């Protein structure tokens, strides 16, 4: 069988395997069964498989090379953004649900490769005087820089993969490792293949078989991961340095092996020798990388270093810093449970774990968090054999030593008790070790017990924190309810008097007029009360539109005593949410009227110099300077005996959401002046 036939068959198999997996994940994403990252992966694999097929056609039919290479250029242009986008999404959970600016910039920059490739396909990118015999493509200046950009896209994707693997916790890394390793094999082959263009200003298409082999290897690892793992250390240097030294030694052996293979490749001939050398080198590199990403191998290396270099198995300073960092980063109980289990798994080399806490209602230890552990029915009774053994020993228990028939015990190896005071609050069940040959001794058990005590303390702290937060919420609700009930009681009393008098005087025209006015006034006050209790807006929820400030001031205060309000100034036009800004003006005017209880007027002035503003001034008793400095805009703090203390707080939040500010000038016994400054219409 000739070399070309072997390479052709290998390429066809690689294209079929990659296209099959691409369709599997792509259709799953379209049906909503998989994430958006899976859909992007499907696109990237289809483009990669298409590129392999097009380059195979170039090799098989060299006379039609310009046609296939033009299509290949477009595929190469689309490949960069597809792989960058996939690696930015896969196995990543961003806080605000959006890609950060750096990732968006990388994707946007990579997206320029597609029109660039299409332009080169239309205008010409290669010089190939004797392609039929040499299979060489000499790069023109435009295509040379295009492939520099293409390699940069691949390196950006590899950078994303490294960051994802580094940030992934134990239980997640185990599931995503082979998908990302498959992507690494494909991207590394692309970098290796196209780097010849940077070195020699030419591309030797006889080496495309190596790229197909990498695609077959990468797609195969993705198939394996999807089917088996589901869709998505005594020395004077530190343990970390020791571990990295082992990696460096292995990498050095790898490079020496490459040199020996290069020396022997001449025996196989030019074409086959180069392909075999690149292929074996690539497979060996991917194998080495996969080996050192293996949790089992990493655990064995640490144990080897511990046995031969150290007297103790753990570097307790490092272990403790990492463990405490995990726990204090948890924002709620669920995150704390997961952080504690993940830390136990990584520290002791365990595949999975479960956290069981006492349910005081059923008096049963129920699972509250699981990591790489299959859920089972029920939990452990308070009087179960395991619970009794943990209370008796008050230390780690090997599950093999406990006669407990719970289904949870089948995969468990150790149980770590969590005590609160003298009572068993719960326990951690640790599953099988990653390295089945590893022996656990008293040093491991002492560290397990120490971590369990810290977990108990962290659980108690976060429970108390959540209880305190709920108590504060109830306190705030109590304050709001007291104010609301007081105001509602007054309004209900007013309405009841109206209803009682209506039975006697409903036929009197003057009473009818007074009744309508009183109803309108009461309804207006209730609307004000409701508006104060509404949720506060933010920049995203504001409905901005051009509006005149003077007209808005008149409209928003029409339910107040107009004879006491004086309006003046220019009708400055601003871009605001009229409903929300109307609440601000209404609140300020209402406060000013209440402060001027002797009937003195309140002045409302609007203008646009030096920027749009609305000013509300009264001639009341003024505000104490200390109160202005410390409490004026704080919720539930008011100068009024029966005030709710949320009106001015609401005003400041609304104005801030508009990008404005509130200024206050006041003198005791002379009155107060509130000025709201707003951005102009260009905002």
């Amino acid at each position: 069988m000739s070399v070309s036939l072997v390479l052709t068959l290998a390429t066809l198999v690689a294209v079929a395997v990659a296209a099959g997996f691409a369709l599997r994940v792509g259709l799953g994403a379209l049906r909503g069964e998989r994430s958006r990252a899976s859909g992007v992966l499907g696109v990237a694999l289809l483009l990669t498989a298409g590129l392999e097929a097009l380059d195979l056609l170039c090799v098989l039919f060299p006379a039609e090379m310009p046609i296939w290479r033009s299509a290949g250029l477009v595929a190469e242009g689309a490949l960069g953004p597809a792989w960058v986008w996939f690696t930015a999404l896969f196995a990543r959970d961003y806080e605000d649900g959006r890609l950060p600016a750096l990732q968006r910039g990388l994707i946007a920059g990579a997206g320029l490769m597609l029109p660039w490739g299409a332009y080169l396909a239309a205008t010409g990118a290669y010089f190939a005087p004797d392609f039929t015999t040499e299979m060489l493509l000499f790069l023109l200046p435009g295509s040379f820089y295009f492939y520099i950009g293409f390699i940069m896209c691949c390196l950006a994707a590899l950078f994303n993969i490294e960051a994802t693997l580094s940030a992934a916790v134990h239980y997640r890394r185990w599931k995503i490792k082979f998908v990302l390793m498959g992507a690494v094999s494909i991207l590394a082959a692309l970098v290796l293949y196209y780097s010849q263009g940077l070195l020699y200003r030419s591309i030797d298409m006889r080496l495309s078989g190596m790229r197909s082999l990498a695609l077959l290897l990468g797609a195969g690892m993705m198939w394996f991961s999807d089917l088996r793992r589901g869709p998505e250390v005594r020395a004077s240097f530190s343990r970390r340095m020791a571990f990295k030294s082992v990696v460096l030694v292995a990498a050095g052996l790898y490079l020496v092996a490459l040199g020996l293979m290069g020396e022997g490749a001449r025996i196989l001939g030019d074409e086959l020798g180069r392909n075999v050398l690149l292929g074996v080198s690539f497979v060996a590199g991917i194998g080495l990388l996969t080996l050192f990403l293996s949790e089992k191998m990493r655990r064995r290396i640490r144990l080897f270093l511990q046995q031969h270099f150290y007297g103790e198995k753990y570097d307790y300073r490092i272990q403790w810093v990492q463990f405490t960092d995990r726990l204090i980063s948890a924002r709620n109980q669920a995150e704390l449970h997961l952080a504690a289990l993940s830390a136990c798994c990584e520290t002791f080399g365990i595949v999975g774990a479960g956290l069981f806490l006492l349910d005081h209602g059923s008096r049963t230890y129920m699972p509250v968090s699981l990591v790489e552990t299959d859920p089972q029915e029920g939990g452990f009774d308070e009087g179960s054999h395991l619970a009794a053994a943990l209370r008796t020993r008050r230390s780690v228990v090997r599950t093999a030593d406990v006669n407990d028939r719970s289904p949870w015990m089948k995969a468990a190896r150790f149980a770590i008790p969590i005590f609160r005071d003298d009572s068993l609050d719960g326990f951690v069940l640790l599953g099988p070790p990653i390295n089945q040959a590893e022996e656990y001794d008293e040093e491991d058990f002492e560290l397990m017990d120490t971590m369990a005590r810290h977990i108990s303390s962290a659980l108690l702290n976060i429970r108390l924190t959540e209880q305190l937060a709920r108590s504060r919420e109830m306190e705030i609700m109590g304050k709001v309810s007291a104010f609301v009930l007081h105001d509602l009681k007054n309004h209900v009393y007013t309405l009841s008097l109206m209803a009682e008098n209506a039975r006697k005087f409903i036929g009197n025209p003057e009473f009818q007029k007074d009744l309508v006015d009183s109803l309108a006034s009461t309804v207006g006050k209730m609307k004000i009360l409701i508006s104060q209790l509404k949720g506060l807006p933010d920049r995203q929820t504001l409905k901005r539109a051009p509006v005149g400030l003077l007209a808005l001031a008149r409209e928003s205060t029409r339910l107040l005593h107009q004879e006491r309000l004086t309006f003046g100034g220019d009708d400055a036009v601003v871009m605001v949410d009229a409903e929300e800004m109307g609440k601000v003006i209404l609140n300020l005017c209402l406060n000013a009227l209440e402060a001027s209880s002797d009937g003195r007027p309140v002045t409302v002035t609007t203008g646009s110099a030096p920027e749009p503003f609305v000013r509300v001034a009264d001639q009341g008793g003024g505000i104490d300077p200390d109160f202005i400095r410390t409490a004026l805009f704080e919720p539930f703090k008011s100068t009024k005996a029966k005030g709710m203390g949320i009106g001015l707080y609401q005003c400041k939040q609304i104005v801030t959401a508009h990008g404005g500010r509130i200024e206050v000038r006041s003198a005791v016994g002379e009155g107060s002046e509130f000025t709201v400054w707003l951005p102009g219409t260009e905002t």
Side-chain angles (χ1 to χ4, degrees), residues 89-233:
L89 290 175
F90 185 71
R92 294 189 175 197
D93 186 16
Y94 298 106
E95 288 186 2
D96 56 357
R98 299 178 57 205
L99 287 172
L102 174 61
Q103 295 297 338
R104 295 200 301 271
L106 286 175
I107 296 172
L112 300 176
M113 296 297 296
L114 180 56
W116 193 356
Y119 171 78
L120 292 176
T123 59
Y126 310 107
F127 172 67
D130 196 10
F131 181 78
T132 303
T133 58
E134 293 184 348
M135 295 291 175
L136 284 177
L137 297 174
F138 295 95
L139 303 182
L140 298 177
S143 57
F144 172 74
Y145 293 110
F146 171 81
Y147 285 115
I148 292 179
F150 181 81
I151 291 176
M152 294 298 293
C153 289
C154 294
L155 294 177
L158 289 169
F159 170 81
N160 278 342
I161 292 174
E162 189 275 336
T164 300
L165 284 171
S166 298
V169 294
H170 161 82
Y171 70 94
R172 201 171 191 181
R173 188 187 304 126
W174 181 78
K175 299 194 73 169
I176 66 175
K177 178 176 67 178
F178 279 101
V179 173
L180 291 180
M181 285 306 305
V184 167
S185 68
I186 296 171
L187 290 167
L190 290 172
V191 172
L192 185 61
Y193 178 80
Y194 289 107
S195 62
Q196 59 181 310
L198 306 185
L199 293 173
Y200 307 113
R201 296 260 178 163
S202 65
I203 293 178
D204 188 351
M205 295 197 67
R206 291 174 297 181
L207 303 179
S208 60
M210 178 273 301
R211 203 177 57 187
S212 298
L213 176 63
L215 177 61
L216 178 60
L217 179 63
M221 284 193 285
M222 292 179 183
W223 270 108
F224 168 80
S225 179
D226 195 67
L227 295 175
R228 293 290 301 273
R229 299 184 174 180
E232 302 197 337
V233 214

Side-chain angles (χ1 to χ4, degrees), residues 5-75:
L5 181 58
V6 172
L7 295 178
T8 299
L9 291 176
T11 301
L12 292 175
V13 172
V15 169
V17 172
F21 186 75
L23 292 175
R24 175 184 175 88
V25 297
L27 292 176
L30 289 176
R31 291 193 295 262
E33 300 169 356
R34 294 173 181 264
S35 65
R36 182 173 55 168
S38 295
V40 180
L41 175 59
V43 173
L45 284 176
L46 281 178
L47 288 170
T48 308
L51 177 62
E52 296 300 324
L54 290 169
D55 281 359
L56 178 62
L57 290 173
C58 289
V59 174
L60 296 179
F61 306 103
E64 301 175 2
M65 180 273 296
I67 299 175
W68 308 124
R69 258 292 75 213
S70 296
L73 271 170
V74 177

Side-chain angles (χ1 to χ4, degrees), residues 435-453:
N435 177 19
Q436 295 290 341
E438 182 172 354
E439 293 290 336
Y440 292 84
D441 54 24
E442 288 302 318
E443 184 181 359
D444 298 280
F445 300 153
E446 288 176 0
L447 183 56
M448 289 180 187
D449 287 334
T450 304
M451 292 174 67
R453 287 193 289 271

Side-chain angles (χ1 to χ4, degrees), residues 253-483:
L253 293 176
Y254 169 68
L255 294 176
V256 171
L258 286 185
L260 294 176
M261 285 190 293
E263 184 66 23
R266 294 176 298 174
I267 303 174
L268 300 175
D270 184 33
E271 180 181 352
L272 180 59
R274 294 179 67 183
N275 276 285
V276 169
L277 174 61
L278 285 174
V280 172
S281 303
F282 182 79
V283 172
I286 294 296
L288 184 65
L289 186 57
T290 305
L291 186 66
F292 282 101
L293 281 174
S294 168
E295 295 289 342
K296 183 183 295 186
M297 180 56 62
R298 291 162 67 92
R299 188 72 183 177
R300 286 179 175 175
I301 293 174
R302 289 191 179 98
L303 290 175
F304 174 83
L305 294 173
Q306 179 266 326
Q307 293 171 359
H308 294 85
F309 292 97
Y310 299 98
E312 295 178 342
K313 188 173 183 178
Y314 299 100
D315 187 331
Y316 294 99
R317 180 185 61 82
I318 295 175
Q319 298 292 344
W320 199 247
V321 169
Q322 292 176 346
F323 181 56
T324 53
D325 284 345
R326 280 182 176 274
L327 296 188
I328 64 177
S329 65
R331 295 168 294 184
N332 51 52
Q333 286 199 48
E335 290 187 5
L336 177 61
H337 298 162
L338 193 59
L341 292 182
S342 299
C344 289
C345 288
E346 290 193 5
T347 301
F348 302 108
I350 300 296
V351 173
L355 176 62
F356 293 75
L357 296 178
L358 179 62
D359 180 0
H360 294 277
S362 62
R363 308 307 300 177
T364 303
Y365 295 97
M366 298 298 296
V368 296
S369 184
L370 301 173
V371 169
E372 292 300 324
T373 300
D374 295 330
Q376 306 291 339
E377 292 292 334
F380 293 84
D381 293 336
E382 196 174 21
S384 64
H385 292 286
L386 178 61
L390 291 171
R391 289 192 198 94
T392 302
R393 287 201 57 181
R394 301 184 66 85
S395 182
V396 180
V397 170
R398 294 181 185 268
T399 56
D401 299 336
V402 180
N403 185 22
D404 197 311
R405 298 183 179 180
S406 171
W408 293 101
M409 299 289 281
K410 294 180 180 179
R413 296 295 182 270
F414 307 101
I416 312 172
I418 299 174
F419 284 93
R420 184 169 58 173
D421 297 329
D422 291 329
S423 61
L424 183 64
D425 193 36
F427 50 86
V428 175
L429 275 186
L430 297 183
I434 294 174
N435 177 19
Q436 295 290 341
E438 182 172 354
E439 293 290 336
Y440 292 84
D441 54 24
E442 288 302 318
E443 184 181 359
D444 298 280
F445 300 153
E446 288 176 0
L447 183 56
M448 289 180 187
D449 287 334
T450 304
M451 292 174 67
R453 287 193 289 271
H454 200 55
I455 292 172
S456 176
S457 176
L459 286 172
L460 179 60
N461 287 338
I462 203 161
R463 286 170 182 166
L464 293 176
T465 300
E466 293 185 352
Q467 289 175 6
L468 179 60
R470 285 194 294 268
S471 299
R472 288 177 176 173
E473 290 174 359
M474 294 303 297
E475 181 184 1
I476 291 172
M477 287 187 63
K479 289 182 178 180
V480 174
S481 299
F483 287 121

